[in-house]
Amino acid sequence: MSAAGGSSAVWRDAVAASTLGSGNLRDVVRLPCGEDKNEWLAVNIMDLMKQVRMLYGVVFGAEGGCNEKTCPVMSARGKEYFWTQGDLLLSTPAPTYIDYALTWCQLQLEDENIFPSHIGKGFPPHYDQVCETIMRRLFRVYAHVYHAHTNVFRSLKAIAHLNTSFKQFILFASQFQLIPREELQPLMPLIEELVGSQLAS
């Protein structure tokens, strides 16, 4: 059964396995005392990017997974995501959009002028904006996976892995207010099940 359409049964199935016993994820994402916030954002966003790549790799490689035939548009719960190219909004198949999004995110993370790897080199003035854009684009991958491909994770008995990854992602985004609440709407029922309704606005 596909997750497309966002039926209540899908949400119950997705949450039924809950998450892995991974301790308190709220503590995991909180900025440690004495740590630089920008460096903390960089380390965590890089880790979340790896998780999203891995999870999407499972879907992309699965039989009947994400391809141009199964997912001719990039969408989640009736909302289509368009890729922005200059002044154009492009409607693309989900795998194309996700490839564009992950490639763009990776290029930002590898750019020494945005995410410096040398101690003492400063972060640029637009650093927060780049972090927010990366997080929004990663969220859209989760949104599409949950709405179109939870069947893949159910078949692999890996819903708990997906939920744990997403829970950490959303707690981190909330902790640092990296994704506007309206952007979260396609997954809000699941978010409220996993982390409650007290998200940072």
Side-chain angles (χ1 to χ4, degrees):
M1 175 180 158
S2 170
S7 71
S8 59
V10 167
W11 294 119
R12 283 197 301 274
D13 287 350
V15 178
S18 192
T19 56
L20 301 171
S22 52
N24 189 343
L25 290 174
R26 291 182 191 274
D27 291 339
V28 170
V29 302
R30 195 170 288 124
L31 179 68
C33 184
E35 289 291 329
D36 179 81
K37 178 185 172 185
N38 289 337
E39 290 179 4
W40 184 249
L41 291 177
V43 167
N44 281 274
I45 289 173
M46 288 178 188
D47 178 60
L48 294 169
M49 172 74 175
K50 289 177 188 174
Q51 290 187 45
V52 170
R53 277 193 178 281
M54 180 190 67
L55 291 168
Y56 183 67
V58 170
V59 168
F60 186 76
E63 184 178 343
C66 195
N67 58 61
E68 293 189 4
K69 288 184 179 179
T70 60
C71 304
V73 297
M74 175 64 178
S75 62
R77 208 177 189 194
K79 177 178 178 61
E80 182 174 358
Y81 296 115
F82 296 91
W83 184 254
T84 304
Q85 189 168 0
D87 293 332
L88 299 175
L89 293 178
L90 304 178
S91 178
T92 68
T96 303
Y97 181 100
I98 291 170
D99 179 56
Y100 288 165
L102 295 181
T103 299
W104 183 88
C105 292
Q106 191 64 45
L107 287 172
Q108 309 314 301
L109 292 170
E110 291 173 357
D111 188 336
E112 283 285 326
N113 294 314
I114 303 173
F115 290 88
S117 61
H118 301 292
I119 295 173
K121 185 172 182 180
F123 292 85
H126 67 297
Y127 179 70
D128 287 349
Q129 183 181 351
V130 174
C131 290
E132 289 166 10
T133 303
I134 290 173
M135 291 293 287
R136 280 199 313 273
R137 290 181 171 173
L138 295 181
F139 172 80
R140 292 174 180 184
V141 178
Y142 278 111
H144 178 71
V145 166
Y146 269 109
H147 282 283
H149 303 295
T150 51
N151 57 318
V152 173
F153 287 90
R154 276 200 300 274
S155 69
L156 295 171
K157 296 181 172 47
I159 286 286
H161 291 81
L162 175 62
N163 285 347
T164 301
S165 174
F166 181 62
K167 183 174 181 179
Q168 180 181 348
F169 176 90
I170 211 66
L171 287 170
F172 178 75
S174 175
Q175 180 74 28
F176 297 99
Q177 299 185 25
L178 295 170
I179 304 176
R181 192 175 183 89
E182 60 269 18
E183 180 79 19
L184 302 175
Q185 289 308 309
L187 290 183
M188 193 56 76
L190 177 61
I191 290 169
E192 290 178 353
E193 288 282 352
L194 289 175
V195 303
S197 57
Q198 291 81 33
L199 289 173
S201 55

